């Protein structure tokens, strides 16, 4: 048993908030109320572990529906175990893995490897399967078999789907399976050098860069097909103001349209690539201030309903290459919540409840996961956060450290992460270290 006392609870799904205690038993929440220690029997008090949440926010464990753990095939960058450690440190108790591994997750065997290894971590590891065999964009995977084997959605993230007939077929099948399709929206035929915005940044490096039209044309096409098929789709890591408006108009016509923003896209612009070089190179690229502002408005107005990290580990050696040769992507699991507090809450764009909704309840609902809420009988996946404290990020639990946020002081520190009723991460400082040791059950 675990009892969290004296914290300020926010449940984004129900809207309930206030000073409550939370008592867990096994992997579920047994009671939410006040003065719960007094309700315990003498035997229960002896075996109950007490976590003091005084001065802390108590919230559902975060849910990230866009992460790369590089396992199998690229485990020198990250693996499922180290990725899970990074997730727990960042307050994430559930993650959905992307399928662009080696081999890709286009067959049951690879999916089962990922899911089984995920069960050895302290968090909930779910996985998408690919849309196409080998991520070649030519032939659909056996979506029925992969769904039956545990895939929670489908994506070829990292490689856009270019054949509109194939996209339509995939969406029709996914709609019948009631599973989402997540889409990486970049038309390679329009891109000279990806990862850098065509504009001031590409001019600085003397390269062609990626124009905004590469995203806009794909988003426009796929939203049209989604509305025609009734499929549930997620427009991944949105980066342009035009794409935000396209999503806005599509959401007015259909309820199964979703879009995600990454912390780096709502925080940084192409100026960061000029400053940090390859550490701020990503697909789609960081764009202009007007695009960042449009993303912030989209988040505030609910047009963008998800915040996802696109956690993409790469080695120091890979990121040390020339701007055109280095891989795109940054890590994000450990900095995401702090960036949301610093850039969204502190600056008045979103309330803390709205941030939690976009980082727990909404992502869980998209993938139909039992996560992202606090309720009696619900999952005992809980985080304790000091929203007033700051941290300078210098070291990471991830195998990789490719982040433009290294060395930056950010507000909002995860003090403890509880998953399935077990404390799987505890910060070395702050009120959350005040724990009475006892048995967990």
């Amino acid at each position: 048993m675990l009892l969290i006392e004296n914290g300020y609870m926010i449940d984004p799904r129900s809207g309930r908030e206030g000073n409550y205690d939370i008592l867990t038993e096994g992997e579920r929440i047994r009671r939410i109320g006040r003065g719960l220690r007094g309700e315990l029997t003498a035997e229960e008090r002896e075996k109950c572990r007490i976590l003091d949440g005084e001065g802390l926010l108590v919230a559902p464990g975060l849910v990230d529906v866009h992460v790369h753990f590089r396992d199998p095939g690229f485990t020198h960058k990250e693996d499922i175990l180290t990725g899970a450690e990074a997730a727990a440190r960042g307050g994430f108790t559930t993650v959905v893995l992307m399928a662009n591994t080696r081999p890709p997750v286009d067959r049951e065997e690879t999916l089962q490897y990922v899911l089984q290894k995920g069960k050895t971590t302290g968090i909930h590891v779910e996985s998408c399967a690919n849309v196409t065999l080998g991520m070649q964009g030519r032939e659909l995977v056996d979506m029925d078999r992969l769904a039956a084997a545990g895939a929670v959605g489908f994506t070829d993230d990292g490689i856009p789907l270019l054949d509109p007939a194939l996209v339509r077929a995939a969406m029709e099948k996914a709609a019948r399976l009631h599973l989402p399709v997540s889409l990486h929206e970049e038309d390679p035929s329009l891109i000279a050098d990806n990862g850098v915005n065509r504009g001031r940044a590409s001019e600085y490096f003397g390269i062609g860069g990626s124009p905004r039209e590469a995203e806009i044309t794909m988003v426009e096409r796929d939203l049209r097909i989604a509305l025609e098929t009734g499929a549930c789709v997620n427009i991944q890591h949105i980066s342009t103001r035009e794409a935000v408006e396209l999503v806005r108009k599509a959401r007015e016509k259909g309820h199964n349209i979703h879009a995600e923003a990454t912390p780096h896209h709502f925080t940084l612009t192409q100026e960061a690539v000029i400053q940090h070089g390859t550490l701020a190179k990503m697909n789609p690229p960081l764009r202009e201030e007007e695009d960042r502002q449009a993303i912030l408005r989209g988040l505030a107005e609910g047009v963008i309903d998800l915040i996802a990290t696109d956690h993409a580990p790469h080695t120091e050696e890979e990121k040390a290459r020339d701007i055109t040769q280095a891989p795109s992507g940054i890590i994000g699991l450990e900095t995401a919540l702090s960036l949301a507090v610093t850039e969204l809450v502190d600056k008045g764009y979103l309330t803390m409840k709205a941030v939690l909704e976009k980082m727990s309840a909404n992502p869980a609902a998209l993938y139909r996961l039992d996560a992202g809420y606090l309720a009696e009988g619900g999952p005992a996946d809980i985080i304790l956060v000091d929203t007033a404290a700051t941290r300078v990020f210098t070291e990471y639990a991830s195998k990789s450290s490719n982040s433009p946020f290294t060395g930056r002081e950010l507000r909002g520190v995860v003090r403890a992460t509880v998953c399935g009723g077990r404390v799987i991460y505890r910060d070395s400082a702050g009120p959350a270290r005040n724990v009475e040791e006892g048995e967990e059950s």
Side-chain angles (χ1 to χ4, degrees):
M1 300 181 75
L2 176 69
L3 177 61
I4 301 171
E5 294 184 312
N6 308 317
Y8 188 85
M9 185 193 85
I10 297 179
D11 173 42
R13 194 172 83 168
S14 68
R16 183 182 185 185
E17 64 178 290
N19 295 105
Y20 293 99
D21 298 342
I22 300 178
L23 177 65
T24 75
E25 185 172 20
E27 298 183 357
R28 314 300 289 184
I29 293 174
R30 177 169 134 182
R31 281 273 286 127
I32 297 176
R34 296 182 174 92
L36 295 187
R37 193 189 296 212
E39 297 182 8
L40 299 177
T41 66
E43 182 182 358
E44 287 173 333
R45 279 195 293 271
E46 286 183 7
K47 68 177 183 178
C48 188
R49 190 173 185 181
I50 311 295
L51 196 59
D52 185 6
E54 180 69 34
L56 301 180
L57 167 68
V58 179
L62 304 180
V63 179
D64 191 348
V65 295
H66 191 161
V67 303
H68 302 269
F69 280 180
R70 308 300 192 197
D71 191 354
F74 305 98
T75 53
H76 59 289
K77 305 184 187 193
E78 192 80 284
D79 60 51
I80 290 171
L81 300 179
T82 59
E85 290 177 10
R89 190 169 187 253
F92 291 92
T93 54
T94 301
V95 297
V96 176
L97 304 186
M98 298 295 96
N100 58 339
T101 52
R102 184 181 297 167
V105 188
D106 60 356
R107 290 176 172 80
E108 294 171 82
E109 294 81 5
T110 310
L111 176 62
Q112 286 305 312
Y113 164 81
V114 169
L115 295 179
Q116 289 304 315
K117 191 168 183 180
K119 290 178 180 178
T120 68
T121 71
I123 68 169
H124 307 295
V125 176
E126 307 288 349
S127 183
C128 283
N130 292 116
V131 175
T132 66
L133 286 171
M135 298 183 68
Q136 296 299 306
R138 292 191 292 265
E139 182 181 355
L140 291 182
V141 299
D142 190 332
M143 297 173 76
D144 291 286
R145 290 179 66 89
L146 286 162
V152 294
F154 298 94
T155 184
D156 273 8
D157 178 54
I159 298 179
L161 298 168
L162 301 180
D163 182 352
L166 183 140
V167 170
R168 182 178 295 275
M171 288 190 188
E172 289 173 345
K173 173 63 76 171
R176 289 195 291 271
L177 291 169
H178 303 290
L179 294 177
V181 177
S182 293
L183 298 159
H184 184 120
E185 304 288 45
E186 291 187 291
D187 184 346
S189 69
L190 302 178
I191 299 171
D193 302 284
N194 211 353
V196 176
N197 183 55
R198 182 171 294 175
R200 176 170 156 73
S202 63
E203 291 169 2
Y204 175 85
F205 290 107
I207 60 178
S210 173
R212 59 198 314 103
E213 291 77 16
E215 175 175 276
I216 297 164
T217 56
M218 297 285 285
V219 170
E220 186 174 31
R221 181 201 70 179
D222 290 343
L223 289 176
R224 175 176 51 80
I225 298 173
L227 290 172
E228 291 170 355
T229 60
C232 176
V233 301
N234 173 29
I235 305 300
Q236 296 179 297
H237 40 45
I238 202 164
S239 74
T240 63
R241 54 188 180 272
E242 293 90 347
V244 174
E245 289 308 307
L246 287 168
V247 171
R248 182 193 305 276
K249 293 175 182 176
R251 284 176 64 89
E252 291 172 355
K253 299 175 182 177
H255 299 292
N256 271 334
I257 306 298
H258 304 272
E260 65 183 41
T262 68
H264 39 279
H265 283 108
F266 66 63
T267 300
L268 303 175
T269 68
Q270 61 183 342
E271 302 300 322
V273 190
I274 296 172
Q275 179 183 357
H276 298 286
T278 62
L279 286 179
K281 178 186 178 184
M282 59 203 61
N283 300 341
L286 300 170
R287 301 205 187 268
E288 301 173 3
E289 176 62 15
E290 291 84 353
D291 298 301
R292 190 181 78 87
Q293 289 296 326
I295 291 169
L296 289 169
R297 287 193 300 273
L299 286 165
E301 295 167 4
V303 174
I304 302 171
D305 55 337
L306 312 168
I307 294 173
T309 68
D310 192 12
H311 177 79
H314 295 294
T315 67
E316 185 176 348
E317 293 75 18
E318 289 170 317
K319 280 293 190 177
R321 298 172 188 165
D322 179 83
I323 190 72
T324 60
Q325 300 300 315
S328 292
I330 68 172
I331 59 171
L333 283 165
E334 296 171 64
T335 55
L337 182 58
S338 297
L339 284 166
V341 172
T342 303
E343 296 293 331
L344 300 179
V345 179
D346 286 357
K347 294 183 179 180
Y349 294 106
L350 293 178
T351 64
M352 194 69 228
K353 185 187 295 183
V355 163
L356 293 172
E357 182 180 48
K358 295 176 191 297
M359 296 186 74
S360 59
N362 287 354
L366 171 65
Y367 280 92
R368 302 162 67 118
L369 304 174
D370 184 26
Y373 67 101
L374 297 175
E376 292 180 0
D381 301 339
I382 308 163
I383 56 172
L384 284 76
V385 184
D386 190 337
T387 57
T390 62
R391 169 176 287 161
V392 177
F393 286 85
T394 56
E395 297 180 351
Y396 301 96
S398 171
K399 281 186 181 181
S400 298
S401 58
N402 51 307
S403 171
F405 301 110
T406 300
R408 180 170 171 179
E409 185 177 31
L410 299 172
R411 188 177 305 280
V413 179
V414 177
R415 294 301 189 193
T417 302
V418 177
C419 188
R422 297 180 59 251
V423 179
I424 59 169
Y425 168 76
R426 192 174 67 206
D427 189 69
S428 60
R433 66 182 176 178
N434 182 20
V435 176
E436 298 176 11
E437 297 298 331
E439 288 186 25
E440 297 176 29
S441 63

